[in-house]
Amino acid sequence: MSESTFDPYAFPKSHLLGIEGLSPLDITLLLDRADEFVELNRSVGGKLDTLAGRTVMNLFFEASTRTRTSFELAGKRLGADVINMSVSTSSIKKGETLIDTAMTLNAMHPDVLVVRHGSSGAVKLLSEKVNCAVINAGDGRHEHPTQALLDALTIRRRRGHLDGLQVAICGDILHSRVARSNIHLLNTMGARVRLIAPKTLLPIEAERLGTEVFYDMKAGLKDCDIVMMLRLQTERMKTNFFPTVREYYHFFGLDYAKLEAAKPDALIMHPGPMNRGVEIASDVADDIGRSAIREQVEMGVAVRMACLEVLSLKLAHEKPSADILFGEADA
Amino acid sequence: MIHSPGSSPKEAHGRTAYVNAHLIDPATGLDAAPSHGGGVLTDGEFIAEVGADLFKDGVPEDAAIVDCQGKYLSPGLVDIRIQISGKDFTNVGASAVAGGVTTAVCLPNTQPVIDDRSVVEFVARAARKAGLVKIYPYGAMTKGLKGKELAEMGLLTESGAVAFTDGNKATANARTMAQAMSYASTFGLMIVQHPEEPALAEEGVMNESETATRLGLTGIPKEAELIIIERDLRLAQMTGGRLHFAHVSTAESLDLIRAAKDKGISVTCDTAPPYFALNETAVGDYRTFAKLSPPLRSEADREAIVEGLKDGTIDAIASDHTPKSEDMKRLPFADAADGGLGMETLLAITLELVHNGHLSLMEALGLITHHPADLLGLDAGHLKPGGAADFIVFDDQRGWKVSEDGLHSKAKNTPFDGRPVQGRVLKTVIDGRMVFDLDA
C-alpha cells in the first residue's frame, strides 16, 4: 500500500459523530482508504501496525454483536489494543452515568472511543467531555455513520459509483439511525433517495431531508438500482405502529413479486440483523446474485479500519495527565 | 448585590424619597420625565406619595434620598408562573429581586404538592421568612396533581391560594376538567391550564418538525396544545367557568383563543419570553437548556405570538421560571429535564419587544406588571399611594450578556445563555426596603 496517496490530515473532523456535515471529499477519502483495506483483509495474516500503541475502547450502552465485533476486528487489524465495555442499561437509570463513565474512561487515556447509546445526541454529549477521538456507533434514532459508509462502499464496489443511482430505503424509517445516515450520505454523493413505509413509520417532514416518499412498495421500487431494507425495531415501539406482522409483511415485506418493479439487476441490502419473513423473504435475502447482505458485513470491517485510522493518526503524541483532563472536563 | 434580611425581616422605617426618576406606571398611564421633579416618597412599607412633580419644591427634610439618576421607576414586576425547586426560598428570592420581580405566583408542583391548606400556609410562611419576593401559591386542581379527585379548592382559597392548576399537566379526563371548572366557578375561582394532551405528547421531547426528524428526537405535535385548548374552551362554555391558558406557544392557539374571546367566553392566556424570543432552532445540536415545556416552536409560531401580544389576545407575560440542576440538564436530550430560568431575564427579553418596535414601553411593562396582577386579583403591579412600596428602577438601554456568572440563581439553566440583551434592573424595592441594588 506504499503507493497510496492517503492523507489523514485531509479529514477535517476530530470525531466521527454523523454523516451530516461531511463533504463528498471527506466521504470519498474514507471510502478510498477502506477500499484498500478490503484486499488486506482478504489476505492471510493481513495485519498492519499503524495503530500500534493506540487504545480503542468500545463503549456500548446498547446491546450489539455485529458492530462491536466489527470495530474490535478493525482495531486489531491495525495493531491497536481493543477493549470492550458493555454498560447494561437495565442496571442504571438511562443516561445517568453517561458523563461519569466518560470521565472515568477518559482518565485511562484511550485514543479512540467507539460509542453506542440509545439516546439521540448522547454520543455528541460524551464527545464534549473527553479528550480522545469519538466514533458514533449509533445514537438513538439519530445517526450510525459507519453503517452508511459501509453501505456506500458496498454499492460503489458493485456499481462503480454512487452518483445518479436510484436508492429505495424501505421499512421502519422512523426509528432508524441507519436510514438517517444513509439519506445524508447518498444525497451528499449525488444519489437519489426514496423512502417507502407506512405513514406511522415515517418521521414528519421526511421529504425535507431530500427524499421522495412512497407508501406503496411497487410504486416506490420502480426502476430502483438499490433496495435497502430496514429491520423493524420492535424494541423501540409502543403499540399501534401497524396492526400485525402478517399485514406488515403483506404490504411492506420484500419478496420477489414486489422486487419485480425494481431494475432487473437491483442490489438488495439490509443492515442486519434480519427478521426473515417480516421485512424480507428468506429466498430474497439469500439470493447470491442480488443480495449484498454478507458483503456489507465484510465492508464494515474495512470502513471501520479507515475511520479508526483517520481519526487516530491526527491525535497528538503526548497525552495530558489525568488531573488536567478532569480540570478541563469540569470547566 | 442582594440585601437579604435573613431569618428576621427588618421592616423599613421612616421616609425615603426616590428622586430624579422617570416615573412610568401602566396601571395609571403615568409617564413623567425626571425634569419635572417627580418621584416616589415612601413611608415605612408603603408608598406615601407618587407624582410627576412631587419634589419640584424640594424633598422633605426628614426623608432619606435615593437618586434614580434619571432612570425609569416602575411598579415591581408580577410573575404569575414560577416553579420552586426544593424549599430554597432564599434562592428563589435572590433570582426574583435581581430580575425586578416583587410578586411571584408559584405552581403547586412543589414537594409536598400544594393540595392541602397546611402546605399553602407553609409556602406563605417560608416566603415571608426569606423576606425577598412576595410569593403567592396556586392550589392544586386535583389531589396530588393526579387529575382524578378534586382538591379542596374552597378551603385552599381561604388559606391564600390565588387560582387552581395541575401545574405542568393537563388532565386527560374531560369529565374531571368539566367538574373542576364548574366547581371552581361556584366560588368565582380561575382554573389555569397547561394545554398539552398527555397521550399525544407522550415521549415527545421537542417540537414535531423537520428539526426533530434530523436530530432523531421524538416530536410533540402542536395539535397536543390545540386539542386541549379546543376541548377546554368548550368546557368553559358549558360550565361558565373562568379559564386561563398558560404559556401558549402556537399560532393556531391564538386563533382559537381570539375567537373564543370574541364569543364572550371567559378565557385569558399568557405566554413566556422563550415563545416570543426563540424558536425550535435554539435546540441546535441537542442544547438541553432549550428543552422547555411546551417545546419551542417554529418561527411562524414565534411571529404569531408577537402578534398576539400586540393585538391583546395574550393578556400577560409570565417567566415560567424553572430552575433545574446541572445533573438534570447535563444528560442526553431525551433524558434531560424540561424548563429554564426566567425571572432574571424577564424584563430584558420583554423589552426586546420594545426595542424591536412591536410594543411601546408602556404596553410591554403592562404585560409584566398590572395585567398579570389583575388576572389573579393581586394587589400588586401599580404605584399607588397607601399601597405596598414595591417598585423597581431600571435602565431600558443598558446592555449586558446573559451568562452563568451573572445569574443569581443556583441553577444556571437559562435558554437565553450567551444572548446579548438590552435593559437591566438597577434597584428593587419591596415593602420599602431596597432588596437589590445592582451597582452597590
Side-chain angles (χ1 to χ4, degrees):
Chain A
M1 289 163 64
S2 51
E3 72 281 8
S4 171
T5 53
F6 171 70
D7 173 15
Y9 295 95
F11 192 74
K13 313 256 178 189
S14 49
H15 305 298
L16 180 65
L17 300 177
I19 297 293
E20 194 173 17
L22 294 186
S23 71
L25 278 176
D26 303 335
I27 292 167
T28 305
L29 175 99
L30 290 171
L31 295 182
D32 287 351
R33 187 59 170 167
D35 219 349
E36 295 174 2
F37 285 133
V38 174
E39 296 313 315
L40 177 84
N41 287 339
R42 285 177 179 172
S43 66
V44 176
K47 197 173 166 182
L48 297 175
D49 59 0
T50 331
L51 299 192
R54 297 289 189 185
T55 308
V56 175
M57 274 194 193
N58 283 330
L59 177 59
F60 279 64
F61 292 88
E62 264 189 347
S64 159
T65 314
R66 304 164 157 255
T67 306
R68 204 204 60 212
T69 312
S70 183
F71 268 108
E72 185 175 354
L73 201 51
K76 287 183 170 164
R77 290 253 164 92
L78 291 171
D81 296 318
V82 184
I83 293 165
N84 289 315
M85 289 226 8
S86 295
V87 187
S88 133
T89 40
S90 55
S91 62
I92 51 166
K93 262 200 217 157
K94 233 192 231 167
E96 189 180 49
T97 63
L98 178 64
I99 300 291
D100 288 340
T101 310
M103 303 279 234
T104 308
L105 294 181
N106 195 36
M108 298 179 192
H109 303 306
D111 296 287
V112 184
L113 269 177
V114 177
V115 188
R116 168 170 290 188
H117 196 282
S119 202
S120 302
V123 179
K124 176 175 186 294
L125 176 67
L126 188 142
S127 75
E128 290 162 1
K129 309 291 174 190
V130 297
N131 302 73
C132 57
V134 174
I135 296 180
N136 182 1
D139 65 322
R141 31 175 104 168
H142 177 225
E143 283 232 41
H144 189 355
T146 56
Q147 178 71 41
L149 287 164
L150 75 87
D151 288 342
L153 184 61
T154 308
I155 298 170
R156 210 178 71 164
R157 285 173 65 93
R158 286 276 192 127
R159 287 286 184 271
H161 61 99
L162 292 164
D163 55 296
L165 293 177
Q166 181 75 64
V167 183
I169 304 178
C170 321
D172 184 0
I173 318 268
L174 179 69
H175 298 101
S176 177
R177 51 198 176 211
V178 175
R180 283 173 180 75
S181 286
N182 264 314
I183 291 168
H184 295 312
L185 188 144
L186 292 165
N187 273 323
T188 306
M189 300 307 285
R192 295 191 304 274
V193 183
R194 292 177 181 176
L195 304 178
I196 313 173
K199 282 193 181 183
T200 45
L201 291 177
L202 277 164
I204 193 151
E205 301 198 34
E207 59 284 353
R208 295 285 297 269
L209 303 185
T211 63
E212 259 187 291
V213 174
F214 291 81
Y215 309 118
D216 177 82
M217 280 287 269
K218 280 198 169 175
L221 290 179
K222 190 165 171 8
D223 298 328
C224 277
D225 299 287
I226 313 288
V227 183
M228 286 185 176
M229 300 307 298
L230 295 172
R231 187 171 66 85
L232 261 187
Q233 303 202 41
T234 41
E235 75 277 9
R236 292 185 202 275
M237 290 181 198
K238 288 201 167 177
T239 51
N240 290 336
F241 282 97
F242 54 91
T244 59
V245 165
R246 183 172 78 164
E247 178 157 325
Y248 182 82
Y249 181 70
H250 180 74
F251 290 100
F252 297 97
L254 186 67
D255 54 22
Y256 280 115
K258 296 185 190 101
L259 190 56
E260 264 180 24
K263 283 191 181 161
D265 61 345
L267 202 59
I268 297 154
M269 303 175 72
H270 193 297
M274 282 182 283
N275 299 310
R276 289 167 185 266
V278 178
E279 68 257 354
I280 189 164
S282 258
D283 51 358
V284 175
D286 296 334
D287 187 330
I288 297 185
R290 308 184 69 177
S291 162
I293 296 173
R294 269 170 286 180
E295 209 172 313
Q296 286 174 275
V297 179
E298 185 190 358
M299 295 307 122
V301 178
V303 152
R304 284 163 185 136
M305 286 169 76
C307 295
L308 285 172
E309 189 189 49
V310 85
L311 292 178
S312 45
L313 288 184
K314 296 178 71 177
L315 292 171
H317 290 281
E318 293 290 322
K319 296 183 187 180
S321 76
D323 293 346
I324 295 172
L325 296 188
F326 281 121
E328 285 182 1
D330 286 343
Chain B
M1 74 181 281
I2 289 169
H3 304 280
S4 172
S7 53
S8 57
K10 281 188 293 246
E11 284 176 14
H13 292 290
R15 302 208 292 176
T16 307
Y18 292 81
V19 303
N20 194 20
H22 187 146
L23 296 177
I24 184 159
D25 181 5
T28 56
L30 173 68
D31 183 359
S35 52
H36 305 295
V40 172
L41 182 68
T42 65
D43 187 356
E45 302 170 42
F46 301 102
I47 292 178
E49 285 178 88
V50 181
D53 53 3
L54 184 62
F55 301 127
K56 71 174 192 298
D57 301 325
V59 176
E61 275 180 20
D62 63 328
I65 294 176
V66 175
D67 183 356
C68 300
Q69 296 179 324
K71 306 300 183 204
Y72 284 104
L73 188 156
S74 79
L77 308 187
V78 178
D79 187 351
I80 57 169
R81 193 177 180 89
I82 69 162
Q83 289 193 45
I84 294 176
S85 64
K87 291 174 181 168
D88 198 348
F89 286 83
T90 313
N91 183 30
V92 174
S95 211
V97 299
V101 176
T102 55
T103 299
V105 186
C106 76
L107 291 180
N109 57 356
T110 45
Q111 279 294 343
V113 169
I114 306 178
D115 62 356
D116 187 274
R117 57 194 304 174
S118 64
V119 185
V120 174
E121 282 153 19
F122 164 76
V123 169
R125 203 163 51 241
R128 224 173 14 250
K129 206 170 158 191
L132 291 165
V133 62
K134 293 175 180 172
I135 293 180
Y136 295 89
Y138 284 112
M141 184 182 88
T142 61
K143 281 179 193 159
L145 309 175
K146 293 196 190 316
K148 296 199 172 91
E149 301 163 64
L150 296 188
E152 295 170 324
M153 292 192 244
L155 293 176
L156 288 167
T157 306
E158 281 191 353
S159 305
V162 294
F164 294 86
T165 178
D166 273 356
N168 275 338
K169 288 187 278 189
T171 175
N173 188 321
R175 182 176 162 82
T176 307
M177 186 63 190
Q179 286 170 320
M181 288 173 68
S182 180
Y183 184 75
S185 68
T186 314
F187 300 96
L189 304 172
M190 183 165 86
I191 298 285
V192 176
Q193 180 68 293
H194 164 74
E196 187 173 79
E197 209 287 315
L200 205 50
E202 196 185 0
E203 293 189 326
V205 296
M206 72 168 291
N207 188 37
E208 183 162 276
S209 64
E210 182 193 342
T211 311
T213 294
R214 272 180 195 281
L215 294 174
L217 295 172
T218 310
I220 300 174
K222 64 179 193 292
E223 285 75 11
E225 179 164 319
L226 300 175
I227 285 170
I228 291 294
I229 291 180
E230 285 179 324
R231 181 195 75 176
D232 289 356
L233 286 172
R234 296 273 173 202
L235 297 178
Q237 206 168 12
M238 177 176 119
T239 60
R242 170 83 183 81
L243 179 63
H244 179 85
F245 291 112
H247 48 214
V248 293
S249 68
T250 85
E252 286 154 90
S253 305
L254 295 178
D255 296 340
L256 294 169
I257 293 166
R258 203 174 279 128
K261 283 183 167 185
D262 287 346
K263 273 202 287 187
I265 296 173
S266 179
V267 61
T268 50
C269 68
D270 69 68
T271 194
Y275 306 109
F276 60 79
L278 297 172
N279 64 30
E280 62 184 350
T281 60
V283 171
D285 232 351
Y286 304 102
R287 269 185 73 231
T288 57
F289 280 11
K291 185 180 180 188
L292 306 176
S293 174
L296 292 169
R297 304 284 186 186
S298 72
E299 176 60 10
D301 288 314
R302 188 196 68 79
E303 287 170 351
I305 299 294
V306 172
E307 281 308 308
L309 288 162
K310 285 164 75 170
D311 72 13
T313 306
I314 299 174
D315 301 88
I317 296 171
S319 80
D320 239 345
H321 184 81
T322 309
K324 294 286 178 189
S325 70
E326 200 179 354
D327 290 346
M328 298 173 79
K329 279 290 190 183
R330 213 173 62 167
L331 290 172
F333 196 87
D335 305 323
D338 296 324
L341 298 181
M343 287 195 287
E344 294 184 56
T345 48
L346 178 60
L347 179 71
I349 305 294
T350 301
L351 286 179
E352 287 184 2
L353 296 165
V354 180
H355 299 312
N356 294 338
H358 297 302
L359 296 178
S360 70
L361 179 60
M362 190 69 91
E363 289 165 334
L365 272 182
L367 289 164
I368 47 179
T369 55
H370 83 100
H371 285 307
D374 292 350
L375 282 175
L376 292 172
L378 306 175
D379 184 16
H382 44 61
L383 297 173
K384 196 171 71 178
D390 296 350
F391 51 84
I392 60 174
V393 178
F394 69 92
D395 181 344
D396 63 325
Q397 299 298 325
R398 182 145 159 184
W400 56 291
K401 191 170 166 184
V402 182
S403 75
E404 276 195 15
D405 307 340
L407 295 173
H408 291 78
S409 166
K410 275 186 202 161
K412 305 295 183 190
N413 56 308
T414 166
F416 299 108
D417 193 27
R419 188 180 182 99
V421 292
Q422 196 181 355
R424 185 137 211 198
V425 176
L426 305 176
K427 300 179 200 303
T428 302
V429 176
I430 296 181
D431 286 339
R433 288 180 293 117
M434 194 176 301
V435 289
F436 175 75
D437 191 349
L438 180 72
D439 297 321

